[in-house]
Amino acid sequence: MDANNVLGEFLRARRELVRPEDVGLSGGGLRRVPGLRREEVATLAGISSDYYLRLEQGRDRNPSAQVLEALARVLRLDADATRHLVGLAGPGRRPASRGRTARPTPVPTSIRQLIDGWPTNPAYVQNQYAEVLAVNALYSALAPHHVPGVNLLRTVFLDPGERERHRDWEDLTAGVVASLRARAGADVDDPRLVELVGELSLRSERFRSLWARHDVLPMRARVSRMTHPQVGDLDLYCDKLDVGGSDGLTLVVFHAEPGSRNAELLGLLGSLNAPQSEGHMNIGEQHTDAPHVDEKSIDGQ
């Protein structure tokens, strides 16, 4: 990541994803690079090739709103990616890196109490680097390996078992990288982010290719398709809520459609992993205080 040219990196990455035929150009002829050429982007956006080159190379960092809108149209950016583009080019876009000065944000006691009071909803809290900070009992049953301190990005890309646990692994990995890019914005020189992206780029080809795309997607609700060793396949709604008054904390909560098979399986998972009370009688254990029943009376003899 080039912290000094975040706008140019974004433009180049998105240009390479647009096929000539997508914008009404002929795709024929020898092309040394994928996607559109710089001069093609410039022509379609109504600006000079030299000016667009300066934007990509970071020699001009203050394009007008009209230029940004034209580039967003040519590069086929959606609303989220367009807002990201404007943020990269906007004045004062470089905030102080959180990782240099900010202390870790603790999970508010009220949030811990809230998720602990949800016996039928798996839930956890993560920070902006996808590190798990708190979990409730049902989430521990749903994902026992996601304990506080674990980085979910490292887990999903580097743990081979994640492909088996997530039936939608391809969509999941694409989404988490795009969300990481959206949360980072122009602050790509955050030391903790640089370390995380560097490690994953070296160790995961999948992460490296997704990060290079510069896709942008804010964290949103989705359906998580999992396979659990105790109850089998589960399709759960997954909602992600910002924790107000915190520095980038997110509350993630799962739930099933009421009355559905998924709700039954989630309830079964909870019962299978519920702690036994001190006086609980195990199956096959006779209660010493139970009244004696004469077998002959049962048979009517």
Side-chain angles (χ1 to χ4, degrees), residues 17-39:
L17 295 176
V18 181
R19 299 174 303 174
E21 53 268 31
D22 293 336
V23 291
L25 298 177
S26 172
L30 179 64
R31 287 181 173 266
R32 294 179 298 175
V33 295
L36 298 178
R37 300 185 178 100
R38 291 191 184 96
E39 57 269 21

Side-chain angles (χ1 to χ4, degrees), residues 123-139:
Y124 68 90
V125 179
Q126 69 171 48
N127 63 15
Q128 65 266 35
Y129 308 103
E131 295 168 342
V132 177
L133 302 181
V135 301
N136 67 3
L138 191 52
Y139 187 74

Side-chain angles (χ1 to χ4, degrees), residues 137-263:
L138 191 52
Y139 187 74
S140 292
L142 183 66
H145 53 297
H146 290 179
V147 298
V150 163
N151 185 284
L152 296 178
L153 284 165
R154 289 190 178 97
T155 299
V156 76
F157 283 102
L158 304 181
D159 180 358
E162 287 294 288
R163 281 199 175 219
E164 299 177 8
R165 287 187 283 268
H166 294 281
R167 299 173 355 251
D168 56 351
W169 187 82
E170 296 282 340
D171 290 339
L172 172 63
T173 51
V176 296
V177 172
S179 294
L180 180 66
R181 176 74 73 177
R183 291 196 301 275
D187 194 21
V188 295
D189 58 345
D190 179 331
R192 294 183 66 185
L193 178 66
V194 170
E195 179 183 3
L196 180 62
V197 170
E199 176 189 353
L200 292 174
S201 296
L202 287 174
R203 300 179 62 186
S204 170
E205 181 179 354
R206 171 70 174 166
F207 177 88
R208 185 166 59 251
S209 63
L210 289 172
W211 186 254
R213 288 177 56 90
H214 283 247
D215 289 332
V216 177
L217 183 66
M219 296 183 72
R220 289 176 178 161
R222 63 185 298 271
V223 175
S224 183
R225 308 188 188 281
M226 312 176 197
T227 298
H228 193 279
Q230 288 182 295
V231 298
D233 290 350
L234 279 166
D235 292 349
L236 301 176
Y237 293 107
C238 176
D239 290 290
K240 302 171 183 180
L241 312 171
D242 291 335
V243 177
S246 70
D247 184 17
L249 297 190
T250 302
L251 170 59
V252 183
V253 58
F254 298 83
H255 68 98
E257 186 76 28
S260 66
R261 176 62 173 163
N262 289 302

Side-chain angles (χ1 to χ4, degrees), residues 96-111:
S97 293
R98 293 181 297 260
R100 288 197 181 98
T101 59
R103 300 180 63 181
T105 302
V107 178
T109 300
S110 61
I111 296 296

Side-chain angles (χ1 to χ4, degrees), residues 60-112:
D60 191 313
R61 303 183 186 186
N62 295 290
S64 67
Q66 292 79 8
V67 168
L68 292 174
E69 290 173 3
L71 290 173
R73 172 179 49 80
V74 173
L75 299 177
R76 303 172 64 86
L77 303 183
D78 61 16
D80 293 321
T82 298
R83 281 192 292 269
H84 183 75
L85 171 64
V86 173
L88 296 181
R93 66 181 183 273
R94 298 293 308 282
S97 293
R98 293 181 297 260
R100 288 197 181 98
T101 59
R103 300 180 63 181
T105 302
V107 178
T109 300
S110 61
I111 296 296
R112 291 182 181 271

